[in-house]
Amino acid sequence: MRSHFCGQVNESLIDQQVTLCGWVNRRRDLGGLIFLDLRDVKGLVQVVIDPDFEALFATANKLKHEFCIQLKGKVRARPESQVNKNMATGGVEILASELTILNASAPLPLNMDGHLNNSEEQRLKYRYLDLRRPEMANKLKFRARVTSEIRRYLDEHDFLDIETPILTKATPEGARDYLVPSRTHKGQFFALPQSPQLFKQLLMMSGMDRYYQIVKCFRDEDLRADRQPEFTQIDIETSFMSADEVMAVTEDMTRQLFSKLLDVDLGEFPRMTYADAMAKYGSDKPDLRNPLEMVDVADLMADVEFKVFSGPANDPKGRVAALKVPNGADKFSRKDIDELTKFVGIYGAKGLAWLKINDLEKGREGLQSPILKFLPDTVVEGILARTEAATGDIIFFGSDKYTVVSEAIGALRLKIGEQLGLVADEWKPLWVVDFPMFEEYDGGLTPLHHPFTAPVGVSPEELKQNPENTLSNAYDMVLNGCEVGGGSVRIHQQDMQQAVFEILGIGAEEAEEKFGFLLDALKFGAPPHAGLAFGLDRLVMLMTGATSIRDVMAFPKTTTAACPLTDAPGFANPQQLEELAIQIKAKEEKTEEKEEEVK
C-alpha cells in the first residue's frame, strides 16, 4: 500500500513519485492551498494539495485530525524560506496527485497535542489514540531498542533465553499473589508468579549454567508511579559465579546499554554498604545527585534534658539525625518550616526541630531555634562541628525510632533537594551491598530480600544463633534514587535453607508443603548460583525521562489496578463460576435484613 514511510522522505527522493499511508496530524488551509502533516510510525512529512486538482482538493477538504489516508505524489524541495530544520523531512514536501480516505475519524475524545491536556483516565481509556502521539510512540520504540540490546548482550555472553511457567504455586515474595482457580482441580488455585525465583534456581540445578528471560511478573500490592500489578523483569541467573562476577557482567551490560542508546558513559559503579546508605541518606536506594547528607547526633543528645532528643538517643532502636542545608537559613520561613513539618508527618515523624546559623562568629547569639534553650553549649558546639555548619546554614533534626527518622528525614532530604534545585542533572549509579539478612516484622523476623538469599560467612548453626546481625550476600543496582535491579547469591545447600525457614517460623511440614520440590533439588548436587533481576519498566522510565512507568507500558493499569480501556477486572458469568466451584457471596443490602441481624 505504500512505497515509503513518511518520516523517511528526504532530499534523495526529490522528483520521485511516492505512495504514503498514515494519519492526518494537522491540516491547514492557506490561501487556497491545503497543507497536511501526514504521520506514520517513522515520523511526519508535509503534503501540499493544489486546488487545480478539483476532485483531490474536494476530498482533502473533508479531512480532519486522525483521518487515516493513503496518498500518492511527487517529492519536491521546499522553498528555502520554508525549510524546517527541526524535522528529518523538513527540506521536502509532497505535491499530492491522488488521495484516498482509508478510514474517517469520529470527533476525538483526546487532545492529541499533549498528555497534559488529558486526564490519565482518558489517556488509558483511549490508549490506542494516546499511543499515536509521537511522544508516547517514541517511548515504546525506545523500550523495544532496550530489550533488543539486552537480548543481544546476553546472547553474546552465553545466556540461554528460557521460559518459565506463569501458572504456578504461591511462594513468599513480599506481596499478595494473584490466584487463578483450577477447573480440573476444584477448590485449588494456581498463583501467578511474583518472579520466576524458584524456577530459575531449578534451571541452575538442571545444569543450564546461564539463564535469562524478559518475563511478566504479577504482584497484588498498593500501586504508585513506579509500580504496576503486572510488570516486566529482565531475569538473570548464573551458576559458579560469585556476587562480584554477577555485578561485573550486569554492570557492563548496563554501561553498554546507556552508551549505545543515550551516548552516556556511566563509568565504574561505586559500592556503598546498606549501613552507610541508611546513615547518610535514610534510604537503601540513595539519590547521589543530591549533595545533602544526614549525620547521626544521638551520642551528643544522650544527656540533654529535652526528652524529645534524649529518649530516642538512649533507645537502641532509636535515632537522632541532623540534616544540614547549606545557605538555607534565609530560604525557609516559619510558614515553610510548618509545611515541612506536615510533610515529615506523613512518614510518622511527630515534629521537625530546626536550627538556623545566622552568624557563626557570634556563637550562641548568632543562632536561632526554639530548641536552643534545651541544648547546652557543648552539645550545640558538637552539632555545629559534626555537621560542619557555616553562617547561613539551617539544620533540621529527626528524633524517633530508627525507621521513622530514616524515612522522614530521608524524604525531607529529597524534597528540599528538589525544592532548592540542588539535584545535579547527571547520572549517578551505584551498588548497595551488605544488606541485613533479616528485618523485624510483626514481632518476628522476615527476609529483607527473599528467603532463598544466602548469608555471608556463617554456618547454619551460627545463623540460627545470631540472625539479627547476619549480613546477606545480596546487592542492588541503584540509579538516580531508583532501584533498577536487585539480586543475590542463592542458598544452594539444604541445611542452610532449612535453617532460614526455621528462623522464619516455617516448620518442616510447611516447608515440605510449599518448597518440597526445591528442598529435594538441593539434595542432588545443586551448584552454587547467583542472579539478578532488573525492572525493565523502571529502567526505561528513567532512560526516557518519564515520570511514571505507565508512560513506558503499552496498556498499563490505573492506581486501582483497573483497565479503563477494557473495563477489566469484570464479573465472571455464573456458568464459569459453577465450573470452577466458586460461589460469590453477595453483600446484604436490605435494611430489613440488617435490622433483623441486629435483633
Side-chain angles (χ1 to χ4, degrees):
M1 292 184 68
R2 63 187 171 198
S3 62
H4 298 80
F5 288 98
C6 297
Q8 295 177 337
V9 178
N10 55 35
E11 287 82 353
S12 68
L13 297 175
I14 288 176
D15 292 332
Q16 294 188 31
Q17 293 288 329
V18 295
T19 302
L20 307 177
C21 293
W23 289 269
V24 176
N25 192 71
R26 189 181 177 199
R27 177 184 177 276
R28 306 181 303 284
D29 194 339
L30 303 175
L33 291 175
I34 293 177
F35 289 87
L36 305 176
D37 286 344
L38 189 63
R39 183 191 73 245
D40 65 11
V41 70
K42 297 292 185 180
L44 294 168
V45 68
Q46 179 171 283
V47 178
V48 181
I49 314 291
D50 195 305
D52 291 343
F53 299 90
E54 294 183 6
L56 176 65
F57 197 81
T59 302
N61 259 324
K62 301 175 185 177
L63 299 180
K64 294 181 180 179
H65 207 175
E66 296 306 308
F67 271 44
C68 184
I69 65 173
Q70 179 194 55
L71 66 84
K72 298 181 181 180
K74 186 177 182 180
V75 181
R76 67 183 189 185
R78 286 198 200 186
E80 186 66 31
S81 62
Q82 297 178 18
V83 170
N84 186 345
K85 295 182 179 179
N86 296 321
M87 291 175 59
T89 62
V92 298
E93 60 189 13
I94 312 296
L95 179 62
S97 56
E98 296 181 32
L99 189 152
T100 302
I101 297 176
L102 300 175
N103 208 337
S105 173
L108 297 173
L110 289 184
N111 184 322
M112 301 294 285
D113 291 331
H115 73 269
L116 295 178
N117 300 312
N118 305 295
S119 70
E120 186 170 62
E121 188 80 11
Q122 286 177 298
R123 293 177 59 208
L124 296 183
K125 183 174 179 62
Y126 300 100
R127 192 62 162 181
Y128 43 86
L129 294 178
D130 191 41
L131 293 178
R132 287 186 195 173
R133 298 187 300 109
E135 176 188 355
M136 290 299 297
N138 288 339
K139 286 184 172 65
L140 290 190
K141 286 188 274 188
F142 186 88
R143 180 183 175 121
R145 292 177 64 198
V146 169
T147 57
S148 178
E149 285 297 327
I150 287 170
R151 288 187 188 279
R152 181 199 59 76
Y153 181 93
L154 293 173
D155 289 344
E156 289 178 357
H157 286 75
D158 297 325
F159 285 82
L160 296 176
D161 184 357
I162 305 175
E163 295 180 351
T164 55
I166 294 297
L167 295 177
T168 183
K169 193 172 186 177
T171 57
E173 298 280 354
R176 290 179 294 272
D177 290 304
Y178 279 100
L179 299 179
V180 180
S182 170
R183 179 184 60 82
T184 53
H185 301 275
K186 287 184 170 53
Q188 298 184 46
F189 295 82
F190 295 104
L192 302 183
Q194 294 186 36
S195 81
Q197 182 62 48
L198 295 184
F199 286 107
K200 64 185 178 184
Q201 288 189 243
L202 291 171
L203 285 170
M204 296 303 100
M205 298 170 195
S206 305
M208 294 297 102
D209 198 74
R210 294 188 179 194
Y211 139 97
Y212 84 94
Q213 185 180 188
I214 298 179
V215 60
K216 280 286 187 183
C217 302
F218 307 86
R219 294 184 183 179
D220 184 6
E221 58 187 349
D222 295 333
L223 305 182
R224 58 192 184 201
D226 59 351
R227 282 183 180 172
Q228 280 280 293
E230 53 180 313
F231 58 96
T232 305
Q233 268 187 193
I234 306 160
D235 209 44
I236 297 170
E237 197 77 6
T238 68
S239 293
F240 308 111
M241 287 181 71
S242 66
D244 287 340
E245 290 170 322
V246 172
M247 284 189 276
V249 72
T250 52
E251 178 179 325
D252 182 58
M253 181 184 78
T254 306
R255 277 201 303 268
Q256 288 199 27
L257 190 66
F258 273 73
S259 177
K260 288 191 175 184
L261 300 188
L262 296 180
D263 194 25
V264 168
D265 181 6
L266 292 179
E268 296 292 325
F269 292 15
R271 295 191 185 186
M272 180 182 297
T273 66
Y274 172 87
D276 283 347
M278 296 302 295
K280 292 181 179 180
Y281 308 106
S283 170
D284 60 0
K285 46 181 184 296
D287 188 347
L288 300 186
R289 298 173 302 165
N290 184 335
L292 302 180
E293 293 186 6
M294 298 163 62
V295 176
D296 283 310
V297 293
D299 59 313
L300 300 175
M301 302 292 196
D303 297 324
V304 301
E305 295 182 4
F306 195 36
K307 297 298 182 184
V308 171
F309 284 149
S310 61
N314 289 288
D315 183 348
K317 297 181 180 179
R319 183 177 190 186
V320 185
L323 180 72
K324 182 192 73 175
V325 182
N327 303 309
D330 61 350
K331 293 184 173 67
F332 296 96
S333 66
R334 287 300 298 268
K335 182 180 178 182
D336 295 329
I337 294 173
D338 288 343
E339 290 299 317
L340 294 178
T341 302
K342 292 179 183 177
F343 173 76
V344 296
I346 297 171
Y347 301 90
K350 301 179 182 67
L352 182 64
W354 54 274
L355 174 64
K356 288 186 177 183
I357 299 90
N358 296 324
D359 190 338
L360 189 63
E361 293 184 358
K362 291 184 178 180
R364 199 177 187 93
E365 296 302 315
L367 307 178
Q368 178 188 353
S369 172
I371 65 167
L372 196 57
K373 59 188 176 184
F374 301 113
L375 305 179
D377 288 346
T378 54
V379 172
V380 173
E381 291 167 3
I383 292 170
L384 296 176
R386 189 167 297 180
T387 58
E388 300 181 355
T391 296
D393 295 348
I394 185 172
I395 303 172
F396 293 102
F397 298 90
S399 181
D400 209 308
K401 295 294 184 185
Y402 189 92
T403 53
V404 171
V405 172
S406 298
E407 290 182 13
I409 304 302
L412 180 68
R413 169 185 173 267
L414 297 177
K415 182 177 179 65
I416 290 175
E418 290 287 349
Q419 188 174 322
L420 299 184
L422 302 177
V423 181
D425 184 17
E426 57 185 335
W427 295 99
K428 284 286 189 178
L430 79 153
W431 288 104
V432 178
V433 297
D434 293 345
F435 288 85
M437 185 77 178
F438 304 99
E439 61 182 342
E440 291 187 11
Y441 178 75
D442 200 21
L445 294 177
T446 188
L448 194 64
H449 281 85
H450 56 66
F452 315 108
T453 301
V456 176
V458 295
S459 66
E461 292 71 25
E462 290 169 331
L463 176 64
K464 287 187 283 187
Q465 289 169 8
N466 191 19
E468 295 91 343
N469 297 315
T470 301
L471 298 180
S472 68
N473 205 346
Y475 35 84
D476 282 356
M477 183 187 290
V478 178
L479 181 61
N480 290 5
C482 287
E483 179 197 329
V484 294
S488 67
V489 173
R490 322 303 188 185
I491 296 170
H492 70 283
Q493 294 171 326
Q494 189 183 46
D495 56 350
M496 181 63 80
Q497 188 65 73
Q498 288 173 330
V500 171
F501 287 157
E502 184 178 327
I503 292 167
L504 297 176
I506 300 174
E509 186 176 335
E510 183 183 358
E512 181 62 32
E513 179 187 350
K514 291 182 176 179
F515 312 108
F517 59 94
L518 176 69
L519 294 174
D520 284 345
L522 292 174
K523 298 176 185 176
F524 301 104
H529 54 287
L532 183 144
F534 288 92
L536 175 63
D537 313 293
R538 196 173 296 178
L539 183 62
V540 176
M541 177 187 75
L542 289 173
M543 295 181 76
T544 59
T547 56
S548 166
I549 61 171
R550 292 190 289 277
D551 282 343
V552 297
M553 302 172 77
F555 300 104
K557 306 291 189 294
T558 65
T559 53
T560 59
C563 176
L565 174 65
T566 61
D567 284 331
F571 293 101
N573 66 52
Q575 183 179 351
Q576 286 178 304
L577 295 176
E578 185 177 351
E579 289 176 343
L580 296 169
I582 291 176
Q583 183 178 7
I584 302 297
K585 186 176 181 180
K587 293 182 179 179
E588 295 180 346
E589 298 178 351
K590 294 182 180 179
T591 305
E592 296 83 2
E593 292 179 357
K594 290 185 178 180
E595 290 177 349
E596 189 63 30
E597 287 177 5
V598 172
K599 293 177 184 178

